[in-house]
Amino acid sequence: GRLLGDPFSSDTDLLRLDLDESWRDRRFDLVARAPQEIHLALLADDGTVLQERSGSGTLRLADLVLDPGTAIVRLRGRLEGSETYTIEVEDRGPARPGEEREPNDQPSLASPLGPDGVGVGRFVGTETDSFVLTVEGELQLWTLEAEGDGLARLVLQDPSGAGEVRADRQGGVAALRLSNLLLLPGRHVVSVRGTDGPYRLRAVPQGPFDAARDEIEPNDRPVLAQRLAFDLPRRGLLDRPGDRDVYRFTLPGETSIRLTFDGTPDVDT
């Protein structure tokens, strides 16, 4: 196709992508090529942008898994004279459990983790991918682990809106962890952010816990501080750069107490 804008405006082409039942649970890439910079976007039927890329050469919306029906593809830009763009669908085979299903940039579009708690995907450019962990059964603590050369951030979204728990990459370590997370039964969204490359995400149950002794994340702000009981030690982990655990205790009046901390020498108290 051609995008015939003028020096002051761009041209827009809208294409309809019809997916029949054979495309259910099937992965594909949407690939556009153009000699000049263009904008490629996948739209929902109400016009909402689900995923987009800009650039010249080859643009790729990768690892798409869409329900059967009609999707809209938008191309926008200005090409010179006889220059044209091409766009095609590349079939990547069946979507396996735990593989990311684009578009999954937003929590509302999160891909399900596999039954083993593992999710795998790839960053194309700099982007965020979201997954859903469904928790069932008795209360227990969880650990989230992510690894990948392009990985920059691991985030557990807080469904209550009170904030989030996150780990940011510092230095050359290509792995991030969030430990001692108390996850109630239900749906929890985990996001990873990074640039260009594959990654692996894993949710691991830690088993039963002692509410009086074990640290429970999130507890990095005074409003989330855990109670310290006298003569009953708390145990916890500082397992990511900048991690902070906050505790509170109550004194009945003016008195002297002793606080004892055992940990590595580089921990501030």
Side-chain angles (χ1 to χ4, degrees), residues 45 49 67 73 75-76 79 83 106 112 117 122 124-125 139 142 159 163 193 220 226 244 246 252-253 262:
D45 55 9
V49 175
D67 291 333
V73 180
L75 296 107
R76 178 177 291 165
L79 301 179
E83 293 178 334
Q106 302 297 323
R122 57 172 169 162
V124 179
L139 283 178
W142 290 76
R193 183 168 180 81
D220 59 346
Q226 287 182 258
R244 180 173 64 174
V246 181
D262 294 319

Side-chain angles (χ1 to χ4, degrees), residues 141-145 177-181 183 202-206 237 239:
L141 299 181
W142 290 76
T143 294
L144 299 175
E145 301 171 339
R177 172 182 294 194
L178 298 172
S179 301
N180 290 349
L181 300 166
L183 303 182
R202 186 168 69 129
V204 183
Q206 296 177 208
L237 292 173
D239 59 355

Side-chain angles (χ1 to χ4, degrees), residues 33-62:
R33 296 179 175 87
Q36 305 288 338
E37 181 173 349
I38 63 171
H39 183 83
L40 170 66
L42 177 68
L43 309 181
D45 55 9
D46 63 355
T48 302
V49 175
L50 299 177
Q51 195 175 70
E52 57 188 338
R53 295 282 186 274
S54 293
S56 59
T58 299
L59 298 178
R60 184 180 298 270
L61 303 183

Side-chain angles (χ1 to χ4, degrees), residues 200-216:
R200 184 175 187 269
L201 171 67
R202 186 168 69 129
V204 183
Q206 296 177 208
F209 67 99
D210 185 341
R213 294 178 179 270
D214 291 329
E215 173 214 1
I216 297 173

Side-chain angles (χ1 to χ4, degrees), residues 107-121:
S108 60
L109 300 173
S111 304
L113 289 175
D116 56 355
V118 172
V120 294

Side-chain angles (χ1 to χ4, degrees), residues 8-79:
F8 304 102
S9 63
S10 60
D11 188 16
T12 298
D13 286 353
L14 296 177
L15 307 176
R16 191 175 74 181
L17 179 61
D18 293 321
L19 301 172
D20 60 25
E21 192 63 30
S22 68
W23 285 96
R24 185 180 295 278
D25 294 328
R26 197 163 189 87
R27 297 166 65 231
F28 65 92
D29 291 0
L30 193 61
V31 184
R33 296 179 175 87
Q36 305 288 338
E37 181 173 349
I38 63 171
H39 183 83
L40 170 66
L42 177 68
L43 309 181
D45 55 9
D46 63 355
T48 302
V49 175
L50 299 177
Q51 195 175 70
E52 57 188 338
R53 295 282 186 274
S54 293
S56 59
T58 299
L59 298 178
R60 184 180 298 270
L61 303 183
D63 302 319
L64 297 170
V65 182
L66 301 179
D67 291 333
T70 298
I72 303 298
V73 180
R74 185 181 69 195
L75 296 107
R76 178 177 291 165
R78 183 171 64 87
L79 301 179

Side-chain angles (χ1 to χ4, degrees), residues 140-205:
Q140 58 182 324
L141 299 181
W142 290 76
T143 294
L144 299 175
E145 301 171 339
E147 56 185 2
D149 289 340
L151 179 67
R153 178 174 295 170
L154 170 64
V155 178
L156 172 66
Q157 305 286 345
D158 186 342
S160 70
E164 62 185 22
V165 185
R166 83 182 197 188
D168 292 311
R169 181 171 177 176
Q170 296 185 8
V173 178
L176 297 173
R177 172 182 294 194
L178 298 172
S179 301
N180 290 349
L181 300 166
L182 179 61
L183 303 182
L184 300 177
R187 182 181 186 270
H188 299 269
V189 176
V190 184
S191 299
V192 289
R193 183 168 180 81
T195 303
D196 289 334
Y199 61 82
R200 184 175 187 269
L201 171 67
R202 186 168 69 129
V204 183

